[in-house]
Amino acid sequence: MAYKKVTWMGMGILLGAFIVLASTVMADKSDRDETAQASSPTVSLPLQELRAFAEVFERVSSDYVDEVDDKKLLEGAISGMLSSLDPHSAYLPPKNFKEMEEHTKGEFGGLGMEVGMEDGFVKVISPIDDTPAQKAGVKAGDLIIKLGDEPVKGKTLSEAVDIMRGKPGTKLKLTIVRKGEDAPITLTITRAIIKVKSIKQRLLNDGIGYVRISQFQVRTGQDMVEAIKKLEEENQGDLNGLVLDLRNNPGGVLTAAVQVSDAFLNDGLIVYTEGRIKNSQMRFEATKGDVMQGKPVVVLINEGSASASEIVSGALQDQQRAIVVGRTSFGKGSVQTLLPLNNGAAIKVTTARYFTPSGRSIQAEGIKPDIEVDLVKVEKVDASELMNVKEKDLTGHLENGNGHAEEGSEQEKADKASKEIKKLLEKDYELNEAVRVLKTLSLAQKMKL
């Protein structure tokens, strides 16, 4: 019988049980047994504890106030065993496993956010770009305490996800506790089919490119390179620099993170993993070819940047290829392996930690930015309220002498085109700071030349 083992990297479970694929290894059962014997220590069965388990199972099955289904009881025991290890190890019953495989295609029903568990509540790791959750104002770090009228406390993550799923167009009320808010927040969100587009790009002023990666999917590396080339065509020449935005990116496919990092590097280590079994020990090296040809790169991260996002920012930071700007990332530096079981279910087990080129483990630490940008609320001041007297307002002032720009001139068109970008930078303080850093780096590079 064929045996499949799939290595996964993820931050938890996406709403709709969307979990991200890292790599796939196929082997038959005999190969698996040989590998296990060669790479794993001999396991001695704790007979006394197994006897105690059998005794508890028998007592509960016969003495519990209501009749209990033995299958449900055993699945609960397996789930408890895995959940006691770490937040990312879990048991996936056949139904959940099947739904998860369907949702890895990049389209699924739900609210559009990645979630985990913390202190018995559902914790939002990150809302996904352009989804109902993001549009409703859900933020990374939010704790969901009620789903509709049902308290979350006492439910497993799978049970909570099942409630959050539903027919597109139906509504669900979330009660959220948010840091800095005195009272719980209530949001009503309409479920939808979630289509995840991982890449967005646009050209900013002064030949600076902007690429946003919302999630690492199988094609993300290739799509990012194509996006940069489109920006170069739009700029009618090479870019002066690039902002790579990984804020609120919960992670995704490991190979995609490697490809994105490799796109900016000519050589050197990108990431490596270490674990107890042989298959969990991997190293990824960069190949020649820098898509930006040495031009400066700034990587934007925040507390919602996790997993694959931390691989990219850590690799480019360690290799001194990019300046990392923002706030310390989430700190999810572990690899999960998905093991299908004979009954159609699967277990997801943490099997390794990953490390940046310099040997840093990101687990529970995160990537610290080179330049920290605090979370601030930016408000535009009405200039009319300020004393705003200029030379042209003075009686008898001299005329310009150069004539006025005619309506429809190239300068006027350029000003109009940049107006939208100016508004974007006014609203997005972190991006504005990243652009400032990039302009400084670009200027310094030109001075060296």
Side-chain angles (χ1 to χ4, degrees), residues 39-277:
S39 59
S40 300
T42 303
V43 178
S44 58
L45 294 175
L47 296 179
Q48 187 173 347
E49 286 75 13
L50 286 173
R51 289 193 196 99
F53 173 80
E55 183 181 357
V56 171
F57 177 82
E58 182 183 359
R59 293 284 180 88
V60 172
S61 183
S62 62
D63 297 353
Y64 186 67
V65 62
D66 295 320
E67 187 174 348
V68 183
D69 180 69
D70 288 348
K71 180 182 176 182
K72 184 177 181 181
L73 204 58
L74 286 170
E75 284 190 338
I78 296 170
S79 180
M81 182 197 310
L82 289 160
S83 64
S84 68
L85 299 175
D86 67 83
H88 308 293
S89 295
Y91 172 71
L92 302 174
K95 178 186 174 185
N96 298 59
F97 181 36
K98 184 179 179 181
E99 289 174 345
M100 179 211 63
E101 287 184 309
E102 292 172 353
H103 295 149
T104 56
K105 296 175 183 177
E107 181 175 318
F108 54 94
L111 304 181
M113 55 186 172
E114 185 169 358
V115 296
M117 291 295 283
E118 182 174 292
D119 299 327
F121 297 111
V122 173
K123 182 175 183 177
V124 178
I125 305 304
S126 177
I128 301 171
D129 285 357
D130 301 321
T131 62
Q134 188 207 42
K135 291 173 182 176
V138 174
K139 296 184 179 180
D142 283 351
L143 284 179
I144 302 173
I145 61 173
K146 288 181 74 175
L147 297 165
D149 295 325
E150 297 186 43
V152 172
K153 200 76 170 179
K155 298 183 186 302
T156 65
L157 185 57
S158 295
E159 289 171 340
V161 168
D162 283 340
I163 295 173
M164 288 187 276
R165 291 196 198 106
K167 186 178 179 181
T170 59
K171 297 179 184 290
L172 178 65
K173 183 175 70 175
L174 303 183
T175 304
I176 290 171
V177 173
R178 180 175 295 165
K179 188 176 180 181
E181 298 289 341
D182 296 331
I185 300 168
T186 300
L187 299 174
T188 300
I189 306 178
T190 303
R191 297 180 180 93
I193 294 296
I194 309 301
K195 295 181 180 180
V196 181
K197 183 181 179 182
S198 68
I199 296 286
K200 291 180 181 178
Q201 80 275 353
R202 71 177 303 160
L203 186 66
L204 303 178
N205 293 330
D206 303 316
I208 292 175
Y210 169 83
V211 172
R212 160 77 178 156
I213 302 180
S214 61
Q215 202 170 77
F216 287 87
Q217 300 173 350
V218 175
R219 283 183 49 87
T220 297
Q222 180 181 341
D223 289 346
M224 185 199 70
V225 172
E226 291 176 0
I228 292 173
K229 292 192 180 301
K230 287 179 182 177
L231 291 174
E232 289 176 338
E233 291 176 6
E234 189 178 342
N235 193 49
Q236 299 180 345
D238 293 340
L239 298 173
N240 292 324
L242 180 76
V243 176
L244 183 63
D245 189 352
L246 301 181
R247 290 175 295 177
N248 293 321
N249 181 325
V253 182
L254 172 60
T255 52
V258 171
Q259 289 168 1
V260 168
S261 303
D262 192 8
F264 300 104
L265 298 170
N266 285 311
D267 53 38
L269 184 62
I270 293 173
V271 67
Y272 67 96
T273 64
E274 289 184 353
R276 295 170 65 200
I277 60 175

Side-chain angles (χ1 to χ4, degrees), residues 233 288 325:
E233 291 176 6
K288 191 172 181 60
V325 175

Side-chain angles (χ1 to χ4, degrees), residues 378-380 419-429 432:
V378 180
E379 292 184 351
K380 187 175 181 179
K419 198 171 183 180
E420 186 180 344
I421 296 172
K422 184 179 178 182
K423 286 183 178 180
L424 172 65
L425 295 178
E426 285 176 351
K427 291 180 181 179
D428 194 336
Y429 177 68
N432 190 36

